Amino acid sequence: MNHLIMLFNVPHYNPWKIWIPFYFFFTGLSAGSFLVSTLATVFGLKKFKVLALPAAISAFLLLILAPISLTMDLAQHFRFWHVLVPSYFNPTSPISYGVWLLSVYPMADLVYAYFIWKQDTRMMKILGLITIPLALSVHAYTGFVFGVVKAHAFWNTSIMPFYFLVSATVSGIALLILIYLIQSRLQRKRSGSTYDRDLLSSLTNMCVAFLGLDLFLDLSQWLVLALGSADAHLTLLTIMHDPIYVIGEILLGIVTPLLILSFPKTRGNLGWVTVASILMIVGVFFMRYSLVNVGWDVPIS
Amino acid sequence: MARYGMVIDLRRCIGCNSCTVACKSENNIPTGVWRSWVKGIEKGEYPDPSMSFLPRLCNHCDHAPCVELCPVKASYKREDGLVLIDYDRCIGCGYCVVNCPYNSRFINPIRHTADKCTFCVQRLDAGYLPACVTTCIGRARTFGDLDDPKSEISQILSSVPTQSLRPELGTDPKVFYIMPDYEVMDRVDLFGDHNYREIEDYEKEIPSQPLPGEEGGES
């Protein structure tokens, strides 16, 4: 392509603005927090028990924000109910399946939270088991929403659903670390009890593991794009020039928290752990935002 | 039942953009979005520059990703091969817009639904040809029934080699090109601003007609 001047082409704008990244962000946080909640109730890890109820409730509250974000994004807001009409259901569209999942999962989560509050161990476990596949599907389907789009090479990869789940887990654990630290601080002011170092250590270990997995998925995607088709090369060039992707998602969202939580000196310090948690949550938001916008910056015509 | 398609002969296209104007006029397309347009590039340096054109529109694919992935089945493929949108059912989610590998779709800023070239379905149903085909001064566009062996388009397709855009994606488009330049078919304008600024300037300089009911418009 030497000395080519483009005279004119039509760039139809990206229809997805800020609300879609928020939607993915909220469902991710919700799925992540819910999964941490099940560590105590379903998998019987006693030390996470104190987190079970706050996690289930925060998962539900986030799931109220999610459909609101989606409806705000539509160009025809008041027609949102069309997606729930059975005769309009499209069996080849991930979004058709997703809206049904998005309707059932919050209700299951609410019933699950109720049983945690009632401290009914048996029903907690049953509801937890029923809701786990729903929580995973609600966030994995968003990965499929991107993964099946063959028009954009950045999105059209089979690791997309898994990538979404991994970064959702990262953000969910980070959110719960913050909730736990705030809750303990308030309790300490009242009753003088201290932080459970063991619990915090387990949570940060899980963060490190999932951050490592997240980084590996990113590296895989870069390598396969680098040796892929012309569209793949264009995509890699574009994403590496995008500051929100490189600085926001990779450096601030994955590499920095990974470094903070790996070194013993900083992972024991509550201030650093708080900073790492906030960076993880913000980084996951930047991941959603850059996915939507950078995918569009690569020209397709 | 007819099965419609279009052949665009780039040996005849001079980049006059009459088709662009005819489409805008026939279908009342708002500023900043296009159902049909002509992509142009300039290659080479003085003393040997050249221009290449690629008239673009919806390809009305047989395996259209927009039809497969619409969450409410608002985009559908009619029996005669046209891919159309039910504007009353469309919720404006934009999934079809991001899915089109050819960037042919857009969200109509006045109707607030998805929109795209319809092969001038209102003209077809009345017995005419699409506006862009009728207007083309070079007779570069041929529209007709692919199933009828005696139609002009079938004669052309059986005698001249043609290409379609991004065939590796399996969308099976129904718009065929004769001798398009390989670079005009390729992705251009990486790191350019995709003409966004020009379009924004254009929208600012040329005032739009007020809508009926607004000040200055019809009541």
Side-chain angles (χ1 to χ4, degrees), chain A residues 192-205:
Chain A
S193 61
T194 183
Y195 304 95
D196 182 350
R197 293 274 164 181
D198 191 33
L199 171 61
L200 218 50
S201 170
S202 302
L203 287 173
T204 48
N205 280 341

Side-chain angles (χ1 to χ4, degrees), chain A residues 41-58:
Chain A
T41 56
V42 174
F43 299 106
L45 297 171
K46 291 281 177 265
K47 64 177 145 184
F48 295 106
K49 202 154 167 57
V50 67
L51 287 176
L53 189 58
I57 292 180
S58 69

Side-chain angles (χ1 to χ4, degrees), chain A residues 166-207:
Chain A
V166 169
S167 56
T169 314
V170 166
S171 62
I173 300 176
L175 180 68
L176 285 170
I177 291 179
L178 285 177
I179 292 178
Y180 178 64
L181 288 176
I182 295 172
Q183 196 183 25
S184 306
R185 199 180 183 84
L186 291 173
Q187 275 182 339
R188 196 156 66 137
K189 286 203 171 135
R190 268 184 273 146
S191 60
S193 61
T194 183
Y195 304 95
D196 182 350
R197 293 274 164 181
D198 191 33
L199 171 61
L200 218 50
S201 170
S202 302
L203 287 173
T204 48
N205 280 341
M206 291 198 308
C207 273

